[in-house]
Amino acid sequence: MDESGKPQDPQESGPPQPPKGGKERRAPAPDGGKRSPGGGILMGRPFGVPVYVAPSWFLVAALITWVFGGQLERVLPELGSARYLVSLFFAVAFYASVLIHELAHTVAALRFKLPVRRIQLQFFGGVSEIEKESETPGREFVLAFVGPLLSLVLAGVFYAGMQLVEPATVPGVLLAGLMISNLIVAVFNFLPGLPLDGGRMLRAVVWKITGNPMSGTVAAAWVGRALAVTVLIGLPLLTHTGALGNTRPEIGGADSLTDALLAAILAAIIWTGAGNSLRVARLRERLPDLQARNLTRRAVPVETETPLSEALRRANDAGARALVVVDGQGEPTALVREAAIVGVPEHRRPWVAVGTLAQDLRDGMRVSAELAGEDLLEYLRATPATEYLVVEDTGEIYGVLSTADVERAFVSAMARHS
């Protein structure tokens, strides 16, 4: 607040959220109720991590059912309409494979003491939201590698199952489809470009060589963008030339349009994911500038019965911008809310005690002066408030941290990044 007791910024808002990349959103792999905050139906909590199914999954499941049903009509015409039930089972089994792929990332993250917020099954695959970055390139490599590795293992399991059944039967067709789909998942995710798992592996390798995680991110992100362009142009051409086992004599018609649309969607997902990874990494370089010690306002201690006008006079004389209510022993008990001060007209301030404008200190409203970066943002997010008491490790009062100040610093960091 300035000398009149007005805040530097009248807008109140909650603490800024840490960048999503800080949570390591896993690649939207083409390995593709209760509502989640981000949308979706809660399906369970394996290993204590909630698994959500996004609404877009139902659209893709319907598409898979329709496409696979058409293939079954050619291979097993005797099924009739029942082929769509078989196709629906295949769609569910395929996404169960995607879930296993994501659980591999989750288990590895938990082993490395990295908290996982949730897993979400969505359009074109799954996402594991890991709260923090890996501390070493070796862990980053393992964390990325286990997903496609497990997809390869699943492909091998389904291939072994194919040897035990007749090919031209429902079990044989299902096992073949699941084997091929998991193989595609593994191969696609091994491609060395962000946001795919192969991109995280490339990032880990470059990080190891250069000693700089940002260099790894830049390299993997640009390879990811090149990969997106390759998919956009190459996938329709491969289909047209028959390289994928389906020769089309000329470009045009509904099939070619479908191929182009699929290529455009995949390319957009990869391009956007690579760009987001790059932006988040650059922002994270700025986050260490967000230090509680540097953002803290100097505060003066006042007793609960002190008139507001007198408290503001003491603050102005001391060059302070915050008020901390203390008891008879000098222990802090509450913080005078800046918004409440603004709401008191100047002519009323001599008759208003600061205690009536204060918010009692709750658990979590004491912030260490040493907190910085993502740790600071996560702490504020866990205990939302407008002001926090900042203390030294010894327990001594350092000052008051305003959420508005943190938000301005966060926006400034983003602006410098942009």
Side-chain angles (χ1 to χ4, degrees):
M1 55 191 158
D2 60 20
E3 292 186 359
S4 66
K6 295 182 179 179
Q8 302 288 5
D9 186 345
Q11 180 179 0
E12 284 191 69
S13 56
Q17 298 294 321
K20 293 293 184 182
K23 303 189 295 191
E24 274 198 25
R25 274 184 83 87
R26 283 282 153 198
D31 42 350
K34 296 180 180 179
R35 303 292 295 182
S36 76
I41 301 173
L42 179 62
M43 303 301 293
R45 295 179 179 272
F47 305 102
V49 177
V51 175
Y52 295 96
V53 173
S56 60
W57 177 87
F58 296 96
L59 176 63
V60 178
L63 179 62
I64 292 174
T65 300
W66 177 63
V67 172
F68 195 69
Q71 295 176 343
L72 283 177
E73 187 178 15
R74 292 191 294 270
V75 179
L76 299 171
E78 66 274 12
L79 286 178
S81 299
R83 68 181 182 274
Y84 290 110
L85 288 177
V86 177
S87 299
L88 179 59
F89 178 84
F90 170 79
V92 173
F94 169 66
Y95 268 89
S97 300
V98 174
L99 176 58
I100 292 174
H101 175 110
E102 295 302 327
L103 283 174
H105 294 306
T106 295
V107 171
L110 295 177
R111 288 291 301 272
F112 293 145
K113 308 299 183 184
L114 300 176
V116 181
R117 177 168 297 174
R118 67 176 181 174
I119 296 173
Q120 187 176 52
L121 300 181
Q122 54 183 259
F123 190 78
F124 275 116
V127 173
S128 299
E129 295 187 4
I130 301 173
E131 297 281 354
K132 294 183 179 180
E133 288 278 1
S134 302
E135 295 178 354
T136 65
R139 289 186 174 185
E140 172 76 357
F141 188 92
V142 171
L143 201 57
F145 180 70
V146 292
L149 175 63
L150 202 53
S151 293
L152 276 180
V153 171
L154 286 175
V157 170
F158 290 128
Y159 178 78
M162 289 170 55
Q163 312 309 309
L164 305 177
V165 299
E166 292 294 329
T169 62
V170 170
V173 173
L174 284 175
L175 288 170
L178 290 171
M179 184 272 292
I180 293 172
S181 60
N182 276 276
L183 188 60
I184 292 173
V185 165
V187 172
F188 194 90
N189 274 277
F190 272 130
L191 294 177
L194 286 172
L196 303 174
D197 293 322
R200 295 200 170 275
M201 293 162 62
L202 174 62
R203 174 181 182 267
V205 171
V206 176
W207 177 3
K208 179 67 174 178
I209 294 173
T210 63
N212 185 354
M214 186 62 195
S215 298
T217 301
V218 171
W222 278 104
V223 172
R225 287 174 168 173
L227 181 61
V229 174
T230 302
V231 168
L232 179 63
I233 299 173
L235 186 58
L237 291 178
L238 286 175
T239 304
H240 174 69
T241 58
L244 299 180
N246 188 15
T247 305
R248 304 221 174 108
E250 60 182 22
I251 297 179
D255 288 337
S256 294
L257 181 61
T258 300
D259 293 339
L261 180 61
L262 177 62
I265 293 173
L266 285 175
I269 290 174
I270 296 172
W271 182 279
T272 303
N276 286 342
S277 297
L278 192 56
R279 283 190 292 272
V280 166
R282 285 175 173 164
L283 175 58
R284 293 179 71 138
E285 284 194 320
R286 302 289 187 181
L287 282 185
D289 295 341
L290 299 181
Q291 299 179 4
R293 185 178 297 279
N294 294 342
L295 297 174
T296 296
R297 299 178 178 186
R298 185 176 179 184
V300 294
V302 293
E303 295 75 24
T304 186
E305 298 300 328
T306 304
L308 178 58
S309 58
E310 171 62 17
L312 291 177
R313 186 193 64 78
R314 294 181 194 176
N316 291 332
D317 290 346
R321 297 172 54 208
L323 303 173
V324 177
V325 177
V326 297
D327 59 18
Q329 288 71 44
E331 289 295 321
T333 61
L335 300 178
V336 180
R337 294 178 295 115
E338 186 177 35
I341 295 175
V342 176
V344 180
E346 285 198 45
H347 69 275
R348 291 279 303 152
R349 290 176 181 177
W351 291 274
V352 176
V354 294
T356 62
L357 308 176
Q359 179 181 16
D360 291 339
L361 285 172
R362 308 188 312 268
D363 291 341
M365 288 181 63
R366 295 174 185 262
V367 176
S368 169
E370 303 304 322
L371 276 182
E374 284 184 74
D375 291 337
L376 174 61
L377 296 183
E378 285 291 345
Y379 190 94
L380 302 189
R381 183 184 64 83
T383 311
T386 55
E387 286 95 8
Y388 300 83
L389 180 68
V390 180
V391 295
E392 299 282 9
D393 291 340
T394 59
E396 180 184 355
I397 297 175
Y398 184 74
V400 172
L401 178 66
S402 169
T403 298
D405 291 342
V406 178
E407 187 174 54
R408 277 193 293 270
F410 183 81
V411 171
S412 176
M414 293 182 69
R416 289 198 304 273
H417 150 63
S418 299

